[in-house]
């Protein structure tokens, strides 16, 4: 199991830490909430407790493995989980390896933005004849994946390729234009569980297809997520990582620590911090509470990479405003190891490094940063991966999804909606001339007022 260490978030170890009694005072509230949650499980939990979604992906195996490349087109919750899994569980040079070195698994590209330079450069890397495009959109209407879909479809047609032999639509089982087009044209489709929102959907077909295509063991992902859920439901507060993440972050927020930094001491884990940024920001940043009061709550998530950001951000974390709680991600075991050669043994500035493992240096840097922060009275949490594999990555995902929902309960807000995002989408539709969205053309009315 993942190891969670809350030592440096407690007042007995860090000046700015939390009292144990303060944390304890939330145990009943959290335990009652988890009991109710278990009786009426959220969609993202049900999704890993059934075979339905994983089977739907497995059924496409024969089709997927006829291709050399998979390009995912999606944004936000329809992209970030794919990126996080790919980066954590496949080496950074995966897409440069030969098909034999990849054991026949596919190269994976995830295109989220609508930046023409970016999309063009990805499309330059793939031969459309050997490429499968997975268009992921829960709503089936979001401007970015739809624009990228139209471009890709145009490309396929320009090559004289049959779009239905190169496309998969991953979308709501009933709603949206993708579902309608897919049905009309006989395009292969995957369903996103209707009760699972984008940022909670990585362990549904949204994230499982690209994972499978890259040779990730998706059965093991599901096992890891289930184990994290069981642990969360069956543990009292002090044994419960998801609950402790929620309560400690909530209490730090009340102490004006309105920034949550996730600092990964592993390039492979860095993209989990990106995934977390969306989950925490979009779920908890809300204007209204559940009683309709205007509250403007939310903790700004920030990602950082150790040791790189020690030379960029950590000065601020140590001596700047005391407005942050830091979560470190580290791993005990790297897949590959490098021993630093013993060269220049007469130079003390270099000699101490010779013969040491590079991973020892990285993990020492993590501990050094944490201890320096503690000296400055700055709280932190550490999450240690025994190794970076499917089982532990999925645990991390499930723990954080649950922590987000528990934090939503503490903040008394709805963690599942995103009205701010939806408004931006509507205004974009209006600006781009989509019929039915004229009332959102605020720029027109602003100009008229001028
Ligand atoms: O978490 C969310 O709901 C959002 O970030 C969505 O994932 C994002 O806006 C993309 O939406 P869709 O999948 O409907 O295209």
């Amino acid at each position: 199991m993942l190891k969670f260490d809350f030592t440096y978030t407690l007042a007995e170890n860090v000046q700015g830490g939390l009292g144990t009694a303060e944390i304890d005072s939330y145990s009943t509230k959290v335990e009652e909430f988890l009991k109710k949650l278990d009786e009426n499980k959220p969609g993202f939990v049900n999704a890993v407790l059934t075979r339905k979604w994983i089977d739907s992906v497995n059924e496409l195996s024969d089709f997927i493995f006829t291709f050399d490349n998979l390009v995912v087109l999606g944004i936000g919750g329809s992209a970030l989980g794919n990126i996080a899994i790919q980066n954590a569980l496949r080496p950074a040079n995966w897409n440069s390896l030969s098909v034999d070195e990849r054991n026949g698994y596919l190269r994976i590209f995830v295109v989220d933005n609508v930046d023409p330079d970016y999309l063009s450069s990805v499309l330059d890397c793939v031969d459309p004849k050997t490429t499968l495009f997975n268009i992921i959109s829960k709503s089936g209407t979001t401007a970015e994946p739809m624009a990228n879909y139209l471009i890709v479809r145009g490309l396929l047609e320009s090559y004289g390729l049959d779009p239905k032999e190169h496309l998969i639509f991953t979308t709501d089982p009933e709603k949206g234009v993708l579902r309608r087009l897919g049905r009309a044209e006989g395009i292969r489709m995957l369903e996103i569980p209707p009760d699972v929102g984008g940022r909670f959907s990585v362990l549904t077909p949204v994230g499982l297809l690209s994972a499978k295509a890259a040779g990730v063991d998706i059965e093991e992902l599901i096992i890891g997520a289930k184990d994290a859920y069981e642990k969360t439901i069956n543990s009292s507060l002090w044994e419960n990582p998801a609950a402790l993440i929620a309560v400690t972050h909530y209490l730090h927020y009340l102490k004006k620590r309105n920034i949550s930094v996730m600092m990964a001491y592993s390039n492979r884990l860095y993209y989990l911090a990106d995934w977390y940024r969306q989950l925490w920001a979009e779920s908890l940043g809300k204007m209204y509470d559940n009683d309709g009061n205007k509250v403007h709550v939310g903790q700004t998530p920030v990602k950082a990479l150790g040791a790189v950001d020690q030379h960029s951000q950590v000065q601020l974390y140590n001596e700047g405003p005391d407005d942050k709680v830091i979560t470190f991600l580290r791993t005990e075991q790297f897949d590959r190891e490098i021993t630093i050669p013993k060269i220049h043994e007469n130079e003390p500035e270099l000699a101490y490094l010779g013969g040491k493992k590079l991973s020892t240096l990285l993990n020492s840097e993590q501990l050094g940063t944490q201890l320096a922060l503690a000296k400055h009275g700055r709280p932190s949490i550490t999450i240690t991966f025994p190794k970076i594999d499917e089982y532990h990555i999925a645990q991390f995902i499930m723990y954080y999804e649950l922590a987000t929902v528990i934090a939503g309960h503490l903040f008394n807000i709805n963690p599942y909606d995103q009205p701010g995002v939806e408004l931006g989408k509507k205004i974009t539709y209006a600006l781009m001339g989509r019929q039915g969205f004229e009332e959102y053309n605020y720029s027109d009315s602003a100009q008229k007022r001028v």
Side-chain angles (χ1 to χ4, degrees):
M1 297 292 279
L2 287 182
K3 296 176 195 168
F4 290 80
D5 185 353
F6 291 88
T7 307
Y8 289 106
T9 201
L10 299 180
E12 58 202 54
N13 305 307
V14 184
Q15 205 190 348
L18 307 169
T20 47
E22 221 177 340
I23 296 176
D24 268 339
S25 69
Y26 284 88
S27 60
T28 311
K29 183 168 178 150
V30 169
E31 282 160 23
E32 280 174 0
F33 174 71
L34 286 175
K35 197 162 170 280
K36 283 204 194 115
L37 180 131
D38 193 39
E39 283 161 12
N40 189 12
K41 295 181 183 58
F44 70 87
V45 171
N46 283 326
V48 299
L49 298 179
T50 158
R51 293 283 319 167
K52 177 174 176 184
W53 310 110
I54 192 166
D55 285 348
S56 69
V57 169
N58 286 333
E59 277 162 21
L60 286 176
S61 278
D62 288 348
F63 178 57
I64 303 167
F65 292 116
T66 59
F67 295 95
D68 195 30
N69 310 298
L70 173 66
V71 179
V72 172
L73 306 177
I75 198 161
S78 294
L80 289 165
N82 286 270
I83 297 171
I85 288 187
Q86 180 66 22
N87 280 283
L89 298 175
R90 287 295 165 266
N93 62 344
W94 177 255
N95 285 348
S96 322
L97 299 176
S98 70
V99 64
D100 288 343
E101 287 165 327
R102 284 183 271 119
N103 290 324
Y105 293 113
L106 280 66
R107 301 197 291 162
I108 310 291
F109 302 86
V110 183
V111 178
D112 46 7
N113 212 354
V114 280
D115 175 334
D117 287 339
Y118 174 57
L119 178 60
S120 304
S121 61
V122 170
L123 293 178
D124 284 348
C125 297
V126 298
D127 176 355
K129 294 195 272 310
T130 56
T131 303
L132 173 63
F133 296 90
N134 182 15
I135 325 302
I136 308 181
S137 177
K138 174 83 189 292
S139 59
T141 52
T142 307
E144 298 87 347
M146 293 306 109
N148 287 339
Y149 156 64
L150 293 172
I151 292 164
V152 157
R153 178 144 185 160
L155 180 78
L156 291 170
E157 288 175 2
S158 74
Y159 272 72
L161 296 165
D162 179 357
K164 77 173 184 303
E165 294 309 324
H166 289 265
L167 292 172
I168 290 181
F169 290 165
T170 302
T171 189
D172 185 272
E174 293 302 329
K175 289 187 260 168
V177 67
L178 276 186
R179 177 65 49 186
R180 192 153 36 80
L181 287 176
R183 278 186 182 140
E185 299 190 20
I187 289 169
R188 289 172 182 81
M189 291 192 278
L190 283 166
E191 295 183 1
I192 306 178
D195 55 353
V196 181
R199 57 194 174 276
F200 293 90
S201 69
V202 49
L203 297 176
T204 75
V206 168
L208 294 179
L209 184 91
S210 69
K212 185 172 179 82
V216 167
D217 185 343
I218 60 176
E219 302 286 341
E220 201 58 21
L221 284 176
I222 299 298
I223 294 171
K226 276 187 193 166
D227 284 359
Y229 180 68
E230 287 306 317
K231 168 104 178 141
T232 304
I233 290 305
N234 295 320
S235 307
S236 59
L237 180 61
W238 286 99
E239 302 297 318
N240 192 330
L244 281 176
I245 290 166
V247 171
T248 54
H249 278 75
Y250 176 67
L251 288 172
H252 284 303
Y253 178 81
L254 296 184
K255 292 180 194 298
K256 307 262 183 280
R257 295 196 178 100
N258 55 5
I259 297 175
S260 164
V261 178
M262 184 169 279
M263 187 163 188
Y265 274 76
S266 150
N267 286 55
R268 292 170 61 190
L269 298 177
Y270 187 40
Y271 291 87
L272 285 180
D274 232 353
W275 171 83
Y276 161 74
R277 257 178 1 130
Q278 185 207 6
L279 185 69
W280 206 247
E282 206 165 306
S283 304
L284 302 177
K286 296 289 153 74
M287 175 149 60
Y288 292 103
D289 71 10
N290 292 329
D291 305 315
N293 302 308
K294 221 175 201 184
V295 285
H296 293 292
V297 292
Q299 195 173 38
T300 304
V302 169
K303 63 172 176 167
L305 178 65
V308 174
D309 283 318
Q310 283 176 216
H311 305 275
S312 159
Q313 303 294 298
V314 168
Q315 167 62 27
L316 172 76
Y317 300 171
N318 270 297
E319 295 188 5
D322 184 9
D323 55 0
K324 300 170 196 67
V325 51
I326 321 276
T327 301
F328 292 107
L329 308 184
R330 69 203 294 276
T331 180
E332 276 169 356
Q333 204 182 312
F334 291 78
D335 280 3
R336 299 174 71 173
E337 191 51 272
I338 301 176
T339 302
I340 305 169
K342 291 185 181 180
I343 302 174
H344 301 302
E345 286 191 88
N346 296 328
E347 302 286 351
E349 294 96 327
L350 301 176
Y352 74 98
L353 294 169
K356 305 262 170 54
K357 292 177 177 163
L358 205 55
S359 63
T360 306
L361 174 59
L362 188 59
N363 281 341
S364 302
E365 303 233 33
Q366 186 274 315
L367 186 58
T369 302
Q370 184 164 37
L371 294 176
L373 286 167
K375 271 248 176 265
H376 288 98
R378 305 298 161 90
S380 65
I381 294 164
T382 309
I383 304 177
T384 302
F385 286 69
K387 66 189 289 226
I388 303 175
D389 59 8
E390 285 83 345
Y391 182 70
H392 295 101
I393 292 294
Q395 275 192 15
F396 176 91
I397 289 168
M398 180 56 77
Y399 279 134
Y400 266 95
E401 289 177 345
L402 291 164
T404 302
V405 174
I406 300 167
H409 179 62
L410 298 175
F411 280 111
N412 188 31
I413 53 89
N414 177 2
Y416 299 115
D417 67 1
Q418 56 285 324
V421 174
E422 301 304 335
L423 179 61
K425 286 187 182 183
K426 287 174 187 153
I427 297 173
T428 304
Y429 295 149
L431 289 169
M432 294 294 287
R434 181 173 163 189
Q435 243 185 357
F437 289 84
E438 295 76 9
E439 64 179 294
Y440 293 99
N441 200 338
Y442 298 159
S443 92
D444 251 16
S445 56
Q447 278 160 12
K448 271 181 214 136
R449 274 204 306 277
V450 174

